[in-house]
Amino acid sequence: MHSKAYSRLGVFAWSPTGVEPKGLIVADFAQYFDPTSANVSSSIEFLPIDSIYSSPRPVPSISVPIQYRFNELSWSYSASSAHSLGIVAGGTEDGSVVFLDADSIINKSQANILSAQRVHQGHVLSVAHSQDSRWLLSGGGSGQLLLWDLTNFSTFSPGKPNYPDQIKMVRWNKKADQIAACISSHRCSVYDLRRPGAPIIEFGELGSGCDWNGLSWNPTDASSLILCSQSDALPLVQRWDLRFATAPLKDLRLHQKGVSAVDWWEYLEKLF
């Protein structure tokens, strides 16, 4: 395996299954600021997979100016004539959730904004689409969680959390389309869209030392997920089972510094 050099302070989303050409959509990161830079413009780029494989220094095939900078991108597949390469959604620094047509970026070199609604308070730190690409979740300040219909970009709240903390990450269950979870610094909240209202489960409160930063659902078990804390004072990874959410199944404290991201490898999930 050879390393590749593509340097940019940005956020990205891989092309979903069913979309050709394969590659990355990359946009400027909202939480970076260089006071010495004379260039304050933003852009969104497409980095084709062919360039990644063939060159040690891959370069984008498309770079399009855009007025937004993003905290996270989510690229969902929509098998419709209107959006043949899917929809790219992003959470911005001004509270907007922006939806872009991927085909316009890749084939027309245009940032075709399908919808941009400023409905969150503060930064929208996380966005994620459901496994069936029908819904998008976005999380922002004051515990605000919004559910978006990707067929018409209408939005409503799936329920109110019990605590008004800033939502740092949202993720859909990989086996049950109606289940989603979000994390704030001190807890994880799980929602069942069949039961609107408060979260069905909340857990992970560990006191002032914890700072949850990453969340990942088990790819084969709908009741299991892992969390990680980015706090240097409490750098841990925990595995939880929603059926027994009074305490974690596993509590791993092997890191010396805070853990910034966590994910499953499907073939080793039984060994965790």
Side-chain angles (χ1 to χ4, degrees):
M1 183 176 181
H2 301 284
S3 63
K4 306 291 182 178
Y6 171 67
S7 179
R8 182 182 178 186
L9 288 163
V11 294
F12 66 91
W14 284 101
S15 54
T17 301
V19 167
E20 295 291 343
K22 299 294 184 184
L24 287 170
I25 291 284
V26 186
D28 286 275
F29 183 38
Q31 298 189 63
Y32 172 77
F33 174 67
D34 182 359
T36 65
S37 176
N39 182 15
V40 295
S41 61
S42 303
S43 64
I44 189 166
E45 298 176 343
F46 177 67
L47 188 68
I49 197 71
D50 292 343
S51 176
I52 297 174
Y53 283 140
S54 62
S55 173
R57 295 186 176 275
V59 295
S61 61
I62 300 295
S63 182
V64 182
I66 191 170
Q67 66 266 41
Y68 296 101
R69 300 189 305 165
F70 298 91
N71 288 297
E72 188 172 41
L73 296 177
S74 178
W75 189 348
S76 61
Y77 178 55
S78 173
S80 68
S81 57
H83 312 296
S84 58
L85 298 185
I87 296 170
V88 179
T92 73
E93 57 197 336
D94 71 351
S96 298
V97 178
V98 179
F99 298 90
L100 301 124
D101 179 41
D103 178 66
S104 295
I105 297 172
I106 296 170
N107 293 322
K108 302 174 184 177
S109 298
Q110 298 176 354
N112 181 14
I113 297 176
L114 304 172
S115 176
Q117 300 182 44
R118 189 175 181 180
V119 289
H120 281 281
Q121 301 178 33
H123 281 250
V124 182
L125 292 180
S126 186
V127 293
H129 68 273
S130 59
Q131 297 296 302
D132 61 3
S133 294
R134 169 67 191 275
W135 306 99
L136 183 101
L137 270 176
S138 60
S142 300
Q144 191 176 20
L145 185 69
L146 292 178
L147 181 67
W148 302 79
D149 186 341
L150 291 177
T151 62
N152 57 19
F153 310 116
S154 60
T155 182
F156 57 93
S157 174
K160 292 184 178 181
N162 294 318
Y163 305 93
D165 296 348
Q166 184 180 47
I167 293 176
K168 299 171 69 174
M169 179 176 283
V170 296
R171 289 294 183 265
W172 291 88
N173 192 295
K174 297 179 181 178
K175 300 294 289 183
D177 287 337
Q178 75 278 7
I179 304 296
C182 66
I183 54 171
S184 63
S185 292
H186 303 301
R187 64 187 54 84
C188 177
S189 303
V190 179
Y191 292 84
D192 185 339
L193 299 186
R194 298 168 300 183
R195 299 169 58 184
I200 57 172
I201 299 176
E202 289 194 308
F203 56 88
E205 179 62 65
L206 294 177
S208 59
C210 176
D211 188 4
W212 296 126
N213 191 63
L215 156 71
S216 181
W217 287 97
N218 188 314
T220 60
D221 182 357
S223 63
S224 180
L225 55 79
I226 49 178
L227 308 176
C228 68
S229 169
Q230 68 177 354
S231 169
D232 289 345
L234 199 60
L236 57 84
V237 176
Q238 287 186 339
R239 177 178 179 178
W240 289 81
D241 189 320
L242 301 186
R243 296 167 296 186
F244 314 100
T246 56
L249 291 180
K250 294 282 187 178
D251 192 325
L252 302 179
R253 307 194 182 205
L254 305 175
H255 290 270
Q256 302 302 311
K257 293 288 187 178
V259 187
S260 59
V262 67
D263 205 353
W264 291 88
W265 185 28
E266 182 174 351
Y267 301 104
L268 287 182
E269 63 89 14
K270 295 183 183 301
L271 301 180
F272 185 88

